[in-house]
Amino acid sequence: MLIAPALIGFVVFAVYPTLRGIYLSFTDFKVLSPPTWTGLENFQRLLGDQVFWSSLGVTVYFVVLSVVIGMSLSVVTAVVLHRLTSSTVIRGIIILPFLISGVVAATTWSWMLDSQLGIVNQLIEQLTGEPILFLGSRAWAIPSIALISVWKSMGYTAIIVFAGLQTIPPSIYEAGRIDGASELQMFRRLTLPLLRPVLAMVLVLTVIGAFQVFDIVAVTTKGGPANASNVLQMYIYDKAFGQFDFGYGATMSLALFAMLIVITFLQMRLMRASESDTN
Amino acid sequence: MRTKKLIPALAVLAVALPLAACSSGSGGDSADGGTVNWWTWDEKQAVSYKECIAGFEEENPGVTVNISQFGVDDYFTKLTAGFVAGNAPDAFQNSVQFFDAYAKQGQLEPLDGYIADSGYDLGVFNVGVKNWQYTDGKQYALPLDWAGSAIYFNEDMVTAAGYTADDIASMTWNPEDGGTFDDIATHLTIDENGVRGDEPGFDGTKVATYGVGNLGTEDYVGQTTWNPFVSTTGWRLGEPAAWATEFRYDDPDFVKSMEWVRSLSDRGIAPKLGEFTVGDTEQLGSGKVAMSSGGSWSATTFAQLPGVNVGIAPTVLGPDGTTRAMMSNSNGNEIWAGSKNKENAWKWISYMGTEDCQTKAALQSGSFFPSIPGAMDAVAADQLAKGVDLSVFVDAAKNGCIYPAYPSANGSEMGTTIQPLFEAYFTHERDDDVFPEMAETSKTILAG
């Protein structure tokens, strides 16, 4: 009985919407009239929808870039913090971008990256003589959005990794030093293996977060140019809330949900997330 | 025992109360016969139309008006949620983009009966009435405002290039060579070495000031960019004009016009797509652009740019040297079909559609153009006293240079499907073969 508030909240706000979403994915639902059952029609449409598959490709490209760059920078930042300083002020500064609203960060970055008026491009033009269309060209749109995303979320993941580093006993590094290991060897042979459970969790969270990118894209490129940055969430949002095609929107959301389950499962298995090397 | 029973009861109450609070809604208390709830997404219009409430309530004792404003990003989601939950406002501002979706699903009240019963004269409006007639021939909204386009220019740059305001106001255009508009835009362009666009040695890859802002994609109708140009050839987007079954993207005049638009960026006369991430006012304000084709709603913003003297010129004269043409969109004032207060809602929106109310509201902010000529004149006179000359728009409305942005089906899907194709064309990912595809795609979407 004591868990009733949580249970009711879970059922009302999580279980019911999920089941309802699954049901709607099999319907034609325009919101203002009742849903009509269409069976597998939406799924057949999904298979032949070129924009969906192109959006999926764009999203995967974004996920790979933002996760690889984000994880690498986070781990390096956390290790540097761990080895060199115990200042809480620096830790606070590192996490600051995470506290800024996504819309504010994206708007500010889009101004800074403007090829005519942005400060970043003024520097680049002085160095190379040519500005870069960061958000206006097919080649640069997704890498630019990934970098903004990494800038915004890196502090948060770095602090989680940092917390993981603090659980590693100093005696292990002492033993490493006595054995003559260099800093780089200790990082590869000691730090990374011991961090694996934390890294697995961070990886799962960042992959799921990256798959759900929306605000930065909506503010900076709106999916353009020519769908070059039309990530899946943008496409789903547009179908559902722009065109009131909630049935098909639910189908695409369900497909994304299924993909995330598979990816997360694979990640957990491959990284043996539940096991630790400390034993 | 009693405590054991009490805890789950309290728990249920704790969850149910917020839900109940959600369902009562904030602005849509339609059961209250004395209060008309009216929604807008425009914070300036929300304040402006409060000027009319006192007069309305005096004329209609016992009826009160409650105006609510929600940001445009949330507005239509909130409105749609209100339709579903049964607590939408009695009357509201609507955009033509959502006209079809709402009308098709029975959410809008036809106004013909109210108009006939009250003797309301739709002739008070000189623009916008036709924009709100649905496929069933019925009128679903009164026009709230109207908007067109113009050419904004940096007066100092134009003077330095040896032109006058009259030269800009009398620019001609044709799809073959761009007419005098092209000549003037080219001469206004200056590269980083100070060489003008029509002088030997001009470097179109290193431009300090573009002659004109990007005329490429803004939306699938190009209202403030390419449309005022191509419309002078007699081309119109929809076939037929209202509730079109196809969009004429494959028309030879249109294709030729788009080739010319793309050539501007290729030659360095206009910035490339995506070169600026800021809007047209910032581009002109920064001195990076000498002329900009923009919306009438930006007139006061352009006029107030610090350190830049901005002139307003009419859109170009077409190939025949006499035709100007621009499309004009109007937001609509509608009644929700599910309202329990429709009679009073009609009284309120028809009161808003009087010259007295439109004048009061428009003068309050100066941010929108009324669809009633007398009110528009009052706004233009008021703005002129403040240093903003809107005569270009007043003349366009009076001289028949504007034509309605007729509604069509599935506007949102059209935008998200056609715009990427335009972008692919303007970035040279695609060539002229994109236009037949656009025309075919438009048929499918319009039929959907």
Side-chain angles (χ1 to χ4, degrees):
Chain A
M1 285 302 169
L2 285 172
I3 62 161
L7 191 66
I8 294 170
F10 179 67
V11 169
V12 170
F13 295 111
V15 176
Y16 173 71
T18 306
L19 294 176
R20 173 89 176 153
I22 293 170
Y23 162 69
L24 290 176
S25 68
F26 292 94
T27 65
D28 178 17
F29 182 43
K30 305 285 187 205
V31 188
L32 299 175
S33 40
T36 49
W37 183 264
T38 54
L40 293 173
E41 205 174 278
N42 285 339
F43 291 89
Q44 284 167 346
R45 182 177 161 194
L46 185 87
L47 292 175
D49 185 350
Q50 287 180 358
V51 181
F52 173 81
W53 294 109
S54 126
S55 293
L56 184 61
V58 167
T59 310
V60 169
Y61 180 36
F62 170 81
V63 170
V64 170
L65 281 182
S66 63
V67 170
V68 170
I69 299 171
M71 287 285 286
S72 311
L73 284 177
S74 300
V75 171
V76 170
T77 308
V79 169
V80 170
L81 273 183
H82 184 60
R83 306 296 276 171
L84 298 182
T85 177
S86 57
S87 164
T88 47
V89 175
I90 292 178
R91 275 182 242 166
I93 291 170
I94 294 282
I95 206 168
L96 209 56
F98 179 69
L99 305 178
I100 297 171
S101 136
V103 172
V104 172
T107 306
T108 311
W109 271 107
S110 74
W111 289 341
M112 285 166 54
L113 296 176
D114 187 290
S115 76
Q116 283 287 329
L117 305 167
I119 187 168
V120 175
N121 255 314
Q122 286 186 355
L123 289 172
I124 289 175
E125 211 171 342
Q126 279 180 3
L127 291 172
T128 66
E130 291 290 332
I132 296 174
L133 291 181
F134 282 108
L135 298 165
S137 67
R138 176 169 290 279
W140 277 98
I142 282 293
S144 304
I145 293 167
L147 287 174
I148 297 171
S149 171
V150 166
W151 175 84
K152 192 175 156 4
S153 61
M154 192 203 77
Y156 176 68
T157 44
I159 293 297
I160 294 177
V161 176
F162 179 78
L165 285 171
Q166 286 187 318
T167 64
I168 301 173
S171 55
I172 291 179
Y173 291 108
E174 239 169 71
R177 264 187 226 102
I178 290 165
D179 288 343
S182 67
E183 280 289 326
L184 197 64
Q185 281 174 321
M186 284 200 284
F187 176 72
R188 281 187 57 216
R189 306 281 182 198
L190 298 176
T191 309
L192 282 183
L194 292 173
L195 266 182
R196 204 180 57 232
V198 174
L199 288 180
M201 183 194 73
V202 171
L203 184 66
V204 169
L205 289 178
T206 49
V207 167
I208 293 174
F211 261 103
Q212 293 173 343
V213 63
F214 177 76
D215 50 358
I216 296 175
V217 182
V219 170
T220 54
T221 63
K222 295 184 177 66
N227 282 341
S229 60
N230 192 21
V231 292
L232 214 42
Q233 293 288 340
M234 276 292 288
Y235 189 47
I236 293 172
Y237 176 83
D238 177 63
K239 276 287 169 202
F241 293 93
Q243 301 172 28
F244 298 127
D245 196 351
F246 278 82
Y248 188 51
T251 309
M252 291 194 284
S253 300
L254 190 64
L256 179 62
F257 182 55
M259 281 184 273
L260 286 178
I261 288 176
V262 172
I263 290 166
T264 306
F265 177 75
L266 285 176
Q267 282 176 335
M268 299 295 268
R269 286 297 296 267
L270 289 173
M271 294 201 66
R272 292 179 289 126
S274 56
E275 299 168 27
S276 168
D277 290 351
T278 48
N279 299 325
Chain B
M1 192 69 185
R2 220 175 243 181
T3 319
K4 273 186 181 174
K5 280 185 180 170
L6 196 61
I7 289 169
L10 282 173
V12 170
L13 205 63
V15 174
L17 269 181
L19 289 177
C22 289
S23 65
S24 71
S26 54
D29 190 10
S30 302
D32 182 355
T35 300
V36 175
N37 286 295
W38 184 77
W39 284 11
T40 173
W41 63 79
D42 185 334
E43 69 276 12
K44 287 179 180 163
Q45 291 202 28
V47 176
S48 298
Y49 280 112
K50 281 184 181 160
E51 296 285 319
C52 300
I53 292 180
F56 172 76
E57 290 180 352
E58 202 175 311
E59 272 187 25
N60 298 278
V63 184
T64 56
V65 175
N66 181 27
I67 294 178
S68 304
Q69 182 264 333
F70 303 98
V72 69
D73 288 341
D74 301 324
Y75 183 81
F76 293 99
T77 310
K78 202 165 171 54
L79 195 59
T80 308
F83 294 151
V84 177
N87 63 357
D90 303 297
F92 56 92
Q93 179 185 23
N94 193 16
S95 162
V96 74
Q97 189 180 342
F98 292 91
F99 180 21
D100 176 56
Y102 291 160
K104 196 159 51 186
Q105 300 195 69
Q107 298 301 319
L108 305 179
E109 178 78 357
L111 302 181
D112 304 72
Y114 300 94
I115 291 167
D117 293 346
S118 62
Y120 185 82
D121 179 15
L122 282 176
V124 296
F125 301 105
N126 67 337
V127 287
V129 172
K130 286 181 182 170
N131 302 37
W132 292 97
Q133 284 166 359
Y134 196 51
T135 49
D136 58 8
K138 291 178 180 166
Q139 187 76 28
Y140 279 86
L142 300 183
L144 257 182
D145 50 20
W146 72 279
S149 52
I151 291 172
Y152 300 95
F153 60 96
N154 183 318
E155 289 179 340
D156 297 330
M157 287 183 181
V158 163
T159 306
Y163 297 117
T164 63
D166 283 343
D167 293 330
I168 306 298
S170 57
M171 290 186 293
T172 60
W173 175 85
N174 65 70
E176 278 82 22
D177 63 9
T180 61
F181 175 87
D182 194 295
D183 298 339
I184 290 175
T186 305
H187 191 60
L188 284 169
T189 304
I190 304 173
D191 72 10
E192 287 175 358
N193 297 318
V195 181
R196 289 193 177 272
D198 52 1
E199 291 172 352
F202 169 73
D203 184 355
T205 63
K206 295 194 187 307
V207 177
T209 302
Y210 290 105
V212 64
N214 190 293
L215 294 179
T217 44
E218 276 290 319
D219 45 51
Y220 68 94
V221 297
Q223 185 186 0
T224 61
T225 49
W226 45 260
N227 200 305
F229 292 83
V230 68
S231 288
T232 61
T233 64
W235 176 90
R236 294 292 181 269
L237 179 65
E239 178 58 45
W243 301 104
T245 53
E246 69 171 295
F247 284 167
R248 299 171 59 212
Y249 292 124
D250 54 353
D251 181 275
D253 276 341
F254 181 80
V255 175
K256 215 181 287 175
S257 302
M258 291 305 107
E259 286 170 356
W260 172 80
V261 168
R262 192 166 73 167
S263 79
L264 285 174
S265 298
D266 295 346
R267 287 181 281 148
I269 309 303
K272 289 186 171 58
L273 184 72
E275 208 167 318
F276 283 99
T277 57
V278 295
D280 52 2
T281 48
E282 289 88 351
Q283 290 175 32
L284 204 77
S286 70
K288 292 268 183 181
V289 165
M291 289 193 294
S292 182
S293 179
S296 57
W297 53 88
S298 302
T300 50
T301 313
F302 272 114
Q304 287 161 4
L305 281 173
V308 183
N309 297 316
V310 178
I312 309 177
T315 55
V316 291
L317 292 160
D320 63 4
T322 56
T323 304
R324 294 187 203 276
M326 66 165 117
M327 70 191 314
S328 157
N329 68 306
S330 285
N331 293 310
N333 206 3
E334 305 190 316
I335 296 176
W336 176 40
S339 165
K340 292 171 183 152
N341 204 4
K342 291 177 195 166
E343 284 296 335
N344 287 331
W346 164 251
K347 284 180 187 169
W348 168 238
I349 68 164
S350 57
Y351 186 83
M352 291 169 85
T354 59
E355 186 171 329
D356 181 43
C357 171
Q358 288 268 302
T359 306
K360 271 185 197 160
L363 286 180
Q364 202 281 334
S365 70
S367 68
F368 68 94
F369 292 176
S371 295
I372 298 176
M376 180 67 211
D377 287 341
V379 172
D382 181 60
Q383 286 296 317
L384 190 60
K386 292 172 182 164
V388 185
D389 184 2
L390 301 178
S391 58
V392 160
F393 303 106
V394 177
D395 292 347
K398 286 183 178 165
N399 298 340
C401 299
I402 61 175
Y403 66 92
Y406 284 105
S408 57
N410 302 318
S412 190
E413 186 180 359
M414 188 68 77
T416 50
T417 311
I418 295 296
Q419 190 154 333
L421 295 174
F422 266 126
E423 289 172 354
Y425 176 75
F426 287 118
T427 53
H428 284 275
E429 282 182 32
R430 297 285 299 270
D431 270 309
D432 288 359
D433 63 303
V434 79
F435 296 112
E437 182 184 331
M438 283 163 72
E440 276 307 307
T441 307
S442 76
K443 281 185 201 168
T444 313
I445 294 172
L446 292 168

